[in-house]
């Protein structure tokens, strides 16, 4: 079973902008995600990384304070915001779900570090 870990770095909000994330919703969120997708051979886990603190100036920075680890796909610390792009609703848990599903089911669509092209394995030869 492929394991994907979501890492929450510690955050320091700058200025007046903040985001109210109810930490009590994180475990039930991952329980539901696992119930939904374990049968597809994917397990999701999360952890907090209090030794790394990132300054957050807005929602994009908040997304980048969340890292995805999927060693089987070659991702040791992938910034969530770098590969999901803009958030349609600024709903953090929905954005995490969108990101981990993409890593789980189409990791080839994520540009590797230092890369400038996406290969969709469509046969185009890119």
């Amino acid at each position: 079973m492929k394991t994907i870990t979501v890492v929450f770095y510690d955050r320091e909000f700058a200025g007046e902008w903040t985001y109210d994330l109810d930490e009590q919703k994180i475990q039930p969120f991952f329980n539901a995600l696992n119930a939904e997708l374990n049968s597809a051979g994917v397990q999701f886990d999360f952890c907090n990384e209090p030794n790394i603190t990132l300054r957050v100036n807005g929602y994009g920075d908040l997304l980048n304070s969340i890292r995805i680890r999927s060693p089987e796909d070659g991702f040791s610390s992938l910034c969530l915001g770098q590969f999901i792009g803009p958030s349609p609703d600024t709903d953090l848990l929905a954005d995490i779900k969108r990101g981990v599903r993409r890593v789980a089911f189409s990791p080839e669509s994520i540009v590797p570090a230092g890369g400038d092209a996406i290969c969709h394995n469509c046969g185009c030869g890119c």
Side-chain angles (χ1 to χ4, degrees):
M1 183 170 292
K2 180 193 303 194
T3 300
I4 296 173
T5 304
V6 178
V7 182
F8 293 88
Y9 284 3
D10 201 21
R11 298 165 300 278
E12 176 184 298
F13 290 102
E16 295 179 20
W17 190 89
T18 62
Y19 187 90
D20 186 27
L21 174 61
D22 183 354
E23 302 284 334
Q24 301 301 315
K25 291 183 178 180
I26 294 174
Q27 183 66 56
F29 167 78
F30 279 95
N31 291 344
L33 194 60
N34 279 317
E36 178 184 340
L37 297 172
N38 275 166
S39 63
V42 183
Q43 177 177 335
F44 301 96
D45 197 7
F46 74 96
C47 66
N48 292 303
E49 180 52 71
N51 295 325
I52 299 174
T53 302
L54 297 179
R55 188 176 177 100
V56 175
N57 295 304
Y59 193 75
D61 289 341
L62 180 63
L63 290 176
N64 289 332
S65 74
I66 298 168
R67 305 298 169 99
I68 308 297
R69 294 181 183 158
S70 182
E72 290 180 36
D73 297 308
F75 302 126
S76 60
S77 185
L78 187 63
C79 298
L80 180 62
Q82 294 298 313
F83 72 92
I84 67 166
S87 173
D89 300 315
T90 61
D91 178 342
L92 189 59
L93 294 179
D95 289 335
I96 291 170
K97 184 175 184 176
R98 186 166 52 106
V100 296
R101 288 176 68 99
R102 184 167 173 200
V103 170
F105 302 114
S106 64
E108 73 280 356
S109 71
I110 299 170
V111 177
D116 59 3
I118 297 176
C119 179
H120 297 282
N121 287 336
C122 65
C124 70
C126 70

